[in-house]
Amino acid sequence: MKKSIPIMNTNLQFFAQDRTNMVSLLDIGLLAGSTTKLAEMGDGYTEITEDWGPSTDSTQYVNMKTASSTVKGYALNMSPEREYLSDDMQEAIDDMFKKFPTGKACETYYYRFYKTDLTAGSGDCIRVPVTVCPSSTGGSGGDTLKSTIQINGNGDVELGTITISSEDGSFSWATK
């Protein structure tokens, strides 16, 4: 006698999330040398792509047909380009292009969460210590003025909780 095997419901539909589900924040307050001020990297940015640059070691032993790999760490790197807008984020970028900071003056935090992880304005979020520096500014004749910054990981990723204020939409982060 054959056993029947239950088959998963094939009527389920899965939809890919669009880019608006991923929210990137930068602590522009620390870049200004003051207290934490999280600002969303959204308006003005046409692309923000995190490149985590995993560092791996591969070893192939004599009794193996294929190599085995070990992940040693990650090196976050991104170069977001932004159209010139008059807001707090642009003011922080403009300040970098005036002062060309080095050392500790370039250190801050990058945050990222997915809206689908939020429940009642709170949910999982990562925080990464980063260095931020000016990279390029300008554009072609007749084009919109653009500025590009370089963001590089500068320490271990931390998992925490992001909370969005229902009063003013500001962000706060807490370690888990």
Side-chain angles (χ1 to χ4, degrees), residues 2-3 5 8-9 15 24 36 46 72 80 97 100 104-105 109 119 122 130-131 148 152 154-155 158 162 172 174-175:
K2 288 186 177 179
K3 282 188 167 182
I5 300 172
M8 186 186 299
N9 181 353
F15 298 99
S24 299
T36 295
T46 55
K72 297 187 306 182
F97 275 101
F100 294 94
K104 292 278 187 197
Y109 289 98
T119 304
S122 186
V130 295
T131 58
T148 304
N152 294 304
N154 193 28
E158 300 173 77
I162 194 78
S172 61
T175 305

Side-chain angles (χ1 to χ4, degrees), residues 97-117:
F97 275 101
K98 291 174 190 171
K99 297 178 180 174
F100 294 94
T102 60
K104 292 278 187 197
C106 296
E107 294 178 5
T108 191
Y109 289 98
Y110 169 76
Y111 301 78
R112 190 247 301 133
F113 67 92
Y114 297 108
K115 291 178 184 175
T116 50
D117 288 343

